[in-house]
Amino acid sequence: MKEFTARPELIGTFGAVASTHWIASAVGMRMLEAGGNAIDAAASVGFTLQIVEPHLNGPGGDAPILLARAGDTEPTVICGQGPSPAAATIEHFQSLGLRLIPGTGLLAPCVPGAFGAWLTMLQHYGTASLRQILEPAIFYARSGHPILGRAVETIDSVRALFTEEWQTSAEIFLRNGAAPIAGSIFRNPVLASLYERLLQHAEAASSRRETQIEAALAYWYEGAVAEAIERFCRNTEALDVSGRRHRGLLTADDLAGWRPALERPLSVEHQGFMVFKCGAWSQGPALLQALQILKGFDLSAHAPESPEFVHLVAETIKLVMADRDGWYGDDPDVPITRLLSADYAEQRRSLISDGASHELRPGTVDGRTASFPEAWMEDGAKPQARIAGGGEPTMARQTPALSSSTISLQAGDTCHVDVVDRWGNMVSATPSGGWLQSNPVVPELGFALGTRMQMFWLQPGLPNSLKPRKRPRTTLTPSMAFKDGKPYLAFGTPGGDQQEQWSLLLWLVHAIHGRPLQSAIETAAFHTDHLISSFWPRELAPGTLTLEDRFPKTTIQELQRRGHIVTVGDGWSEGRLSACSFESTSDGAILKAGANPRGMQGYAIAR
């Protein structure tokens, strides 16, 4: 039977790039054609995404990266997730009367990690100059780009906030008090000027490539950028979703000396491949745990559109996300080896029945029980589930909700990029944070700080409890797989708590059911919100399952019969996956790429 897809799976021999924006993908291919490798291309894509997707990421955000060079036996993790400020203590937030860290505003930023991650990757593994990497981003910031309709919708949704409170953002994103028109040319000359000043500083330091990159890192983390961030945080009271105005905690000392850690990945074997993820400071291990559990079921006997497939995968996701919420964090006591073990997976697998679970069920590890926060909802929210095995939570008392015409809860999203070159080098990265609706723009810099600290808990003793200089357990989670000991596939998606779910679906459909990349990306998808949201106000919707309407009616009906609380969404609404692969053949290397038609924004290029 011939498979029809909305887009072709692209096949080439020279290079492949896939990202969440067509301009960024074209910039990556331009870098490959100029002689750069996959690392150079990914860095240029990363900086371009900050310009063309300002509602999804920015220079003040984060960027976990997996990279593999031809000949590597495993990828390297570049942890572009910055830590919390030294002043970020539980006691400080409690003194402000807060039970959760706000999802917007100056209390929530970590050290901006994206800049350091891209430049560290370039410094150690790239070949291009800093100017070559930054020129496309400077061009689109200075000369402009056709602004996305979804970016315009985001700007318009916070227009009153910008006008009444965050005036520095209004200066960049509003035109005479109004949002720009979709498709019109949008510019950010302030950010362009920042990158031009940074380049001048770096090139004045040396003619040597590596020294220039180090000078740029110093300019950011020990120089003018760090000083501007401290001034803004110290002198600005910004309205946030708590309904109050707060000054920031980040200082120049917090940024000084910070560089992203280079780490080994976590991995499990699956279907003859090795699948790699970032550590437990991300949600990445959840995908690996899911693969271990699902080894005990014959998924090849169930089509991805069948109720059996959806049920087994959804119930597995519920279990691993309960472990994520109860066990993961930037904490040395996370029992990650045990969580990824085959016998622990067997123990967890035994909990899956024919009916849908409506409980959070974290596992017990070596006699230890996972811990959940005593309250994970803002004042005024209602308990939505009983936690099984994690203790009965004490919910916040109900109080009248704060309201303001200038406050709007905005769900941020994310970007993704995958690159493979003709030599077999490979990158998968998920940049996010610092989006335009997260914080007021720092006026000298032209970008907003992030809000990743909202993922911490303000209760001591949890793996993801707030501490100074600690990384929050992020949702950002690139993926990579090796075949026969060599880099094979880079893949990932935006989507917050759904990132791991949609990446898991792509992998299962591709690795078990053998569907080509583009077909696997386009396969009807689903997700569950049966988890504690990583984002303010940390909501939970037990037993829920959202499916695209392309699933057969019989599948939907059977899932409802099994007790799933089903929501049927638009046929092309679940995720923005992309992927690039590399395979050696007797005739030479074959490179493939696929990108998501959902949202009509992501694009893949291969030649």
Side-chain angles (χ1 to χ4, degrees):
M1 178 179 175
K2 184 176 177 59
E3 285 200 60
F4 294 93
T5 55
R7 297 178 179 179
E9 180 175 59
L10 305 177
I11 304 175
T13 58
F14 176 79
V17 183
S19 83
T20 47
H21 196 290
W22 64 88
I23 288 177
S25 296
V27 165
M29 181 54 71
R30 173 181 177 268
M31 181 60 65
L32 293 177
E33 290 173 340
N37 62 17
I39 287 83
D40 302 318
S44 63
V45 170
F47 282 107
T48 302
L49 285 171
Q50 296 171 3
I51 308 301
V52 299
E53 292 189 326
H55 58 311
L56 305 179
N57 79 138
D62 325 291
I65 301 170
L66 284 169
L67 72 91
R69 295 169 296 179
D72 283 351
T73 57
E74 67 177 18
T76 296
V77 175
I78 298 182
C79 178
Q81 175 55 65
S84 58
T89 64
I90 291 174
E91 293 74 19
H92 177 75
F93 283 91
Q94 289 176 339
S95 73
L96 297 174
L98 296 171
R99 299 179 65 84
L100 294 174
I101 297 174
T104 63
L106 291 173
L107 286 175
C110 290
V111 171
F115 185 84
W118 292 124
L119 259 62
T120 297
M121 180 182 72
L122 180 68
Q123 185 178 37
H124 291 290
Y125 306 103
T127 64
S129 70
L130 184 61
R131 178 169 290 278
Q132 288 174 306
I133 295 299
L134 287 178
E135 273 184 339
I138 293 172
F139 171 81
Y140 285 110
R142 177 73 67 191
S143 301
H145 58 92
I147 190 165
L148 294 164
R150 292 194 177 189
V152 170
E153 292 171 4
T154 300
I155 295 169
D156 194 54
S157 70
V158 289
R159 178 178 53 81
L161 175 64
F162 285 7
T163 301
E164 299 173 26
E165 295 283 343
W166 296 1
Q167 283 89 2
T168 57
S169 296
E171 292 173 7
I172 298 288
F173 293 104
L174 299 182
R175 297 175 177 176
N176 299 318
I181 298 170
S184 64
I185 300 302
F186 178 80
R187 300 175 177 86
N188 188 340
V190 180
L191 183 52
S193 294
L194 168 64
Y195 282 146
E196 286 169 340
R197 293 196 304 273
L198 183 143
L199 266 180
Q200 292 168 3
H201 173 83
E203 291 174 345
S206 174
S207 59
R208 188 169 174 268
R209 174 184 167 278
E210 290 79 6
T211 306
Q212 288 182 1
I213 295 171
E214 185 54 45
L217 286 165
Y219 186 87
W220 194 276
Y221 291 104
E222 287 86 45
V225 174
E227 293 165 3
I229 289 173
E230 176 174 318
R231 280 194 303 273
F232 190 72
C233 289
R234 183 179 63 241
N235 299 327
T236 305
E237 286 191 334
L239 184 70
D240 58 45
V241 291
S242 73
R244 290 177 282 162
R245 297 171 184 85
H246 295 103
R247 298 184 191 273
L249 302 178
L250 266 181
T251 68
D253 282 345
D254 292 317
L255 275 73
W258 185 83
R259 299 294 185 271
L262 274 62
E263 302 175 353
R264 293 190 64 186
L266 299 173
S267 64
V268 300
E269 183 277 334
H270 187 256
Q271 295 292 119
F273 300 88
M274 290 299 297
V275 182
F276 296 94
K277 301 291 291 187
C278 299
W281 51 265
S282 75
Q283 66 174 334
L287 184 145
L288 304 181
Q289 282 193 249
L291 294 180
Q292 292 287 71
I293 293 172
L294 289 168
K295 285 179 182 178
F297 302 109
D298 183 12
L299 290 183
S300 65
H302 307 297
E305 297 79 11
S306 69
E308 293 82 6
F309 181 92
V310 175
H311 175 76
L312 289 173
V313 174
E315 292 303 298
T316 297
I317 289 170
K318 293 176 185 179
L319 293 173
V320 301
M321 287 302 183
D323 278 345
R324 181 201 72 169
D325 293 333
W327 287 112
Y328 292 11
D330 185 18
D331 189 307
D333 290 333
V334 175
I336 195 62
T337 300
R338 174 66 176 161
L339 291 171
L340 296 180
S341 67
D343 56 341
Y344 181 75
E346 183 177 358
Q347 170 191 325
R348 302 293 278 154
R349 189 184 305 122
S350 66
L351 298 176
I352 297 175
S353 67
D354 289 337
S357 170
H358 287 232
E359 295 179 337
L360 291 185
R361 297 181 291 178
T364 299
V365 177
D366 299 329
R368 296 165 56 195
T369 302
S371 299
F372 282 106
E374 293 175 355
W376 69 80
M377 305 284 280
E378 269 288 2
D379 288 344
K382 296 180 179 179
Q384 297 187 51
R386 178 172 68 84
I387 293 179
E392 184 74 12
T394 302
M395 304 305 297
R397 289 181 299 172
Q398 296 185 40
T399 58
L402 292 164
S403 63
S404 169
S405 63
T406 62
I407 299 175
S408 176
L409 174 60
Q410 293 299 314
D413 205 337
T414 301
C415 309
H416 188 77
V417 55
D418 301 300
V419 185
V420 178
D421 64 31
R422 63 190 183 276
W423 301 291
N425 302 306
M426 181 176 291
V427 176
S428 177
T430 311
S432 185
W435 41 65
L436 65 88
Q437 64 272 34
S438 63
N439 255 305
V441 165
V442 182
E444 304 101 308
L445 305 180
F447 66 80
L449 295 171
T451 57
R452 195 63 58 179
M453 272 217 302
Q454 67 182 289
M455 296 183 176
F456 281 119
W457 294 114
L458 296 179
Q459 176 185 325
L462 306 175
N464 194 34
S465 295
L466 174 65
K467 290 181 181 179
R469 305 285 170 87
K470 180 180 179 179
R471 295 174 293 188
R473 196 276 301 148
T474 183
T475 53
L476 305 177
T477 177
S479 304
M480 192 170 287
F482 277 33
K483 180 180 181 181
D484 300 326
K486 300 176 182 178
Y488 167 69
L489 183 67
F491 62 107
T493 179
D497 293 306
Q498 283 73 56
Q499 289 179 35
E500 218 63 84
Q501 302 185 47
W502 293 323
S503 294
L504 174 65
L505 291 179
L506 183 153
W507 177 255
L508 294 174
V509 173
H510 178 64
I512 293 180
H513 291 274
R515 296 187 183 180
L517 290 184
Q518 188 62 39
S519 177
I521 287 169
E522 295 186 21
T523 296
F526 60 89
H527 80 272
T528 179
D529 291 307
H530 183 108
L531 47 81
I532 301 175
S533 171
S534 300
F535 297 89
W536 186 95
R538 315 304 295 267
E539 295 168 318
L540 169 69
T544 56
L545 189 61
T546 300
L547 298 93
E548 292 178 329
D549 65 16
R550 292 182 290 138
F551 277 93
K553 289 183 179 180
T554 53
T555 292
I556 295 170
Q557 291 167 352
E558 173 60 16
L559 291 168
Q560 290 172 326
R561 189 194 67 78
R562 293 186 184 212
H564 295 278
I565 303 171
V566 174
T567 298
V568 180
D570 182 82
W572 297 90
S573 56
E574 292 283 306
R576 290 197 291 136
L577 286 156
S578 66
C580 291
S581 68
F582 178 96
E583 284 194 88
S584 296
T585 73
S586 58
D587 295 323
I590 298 294
L591 287 66
K592 298 179 181 179
N596 213 316
R598 298 168 176 90
M600 299 304 290
Q601 189 172 312
Y603 223 75
I605 304 174
R607 77 166 184 81

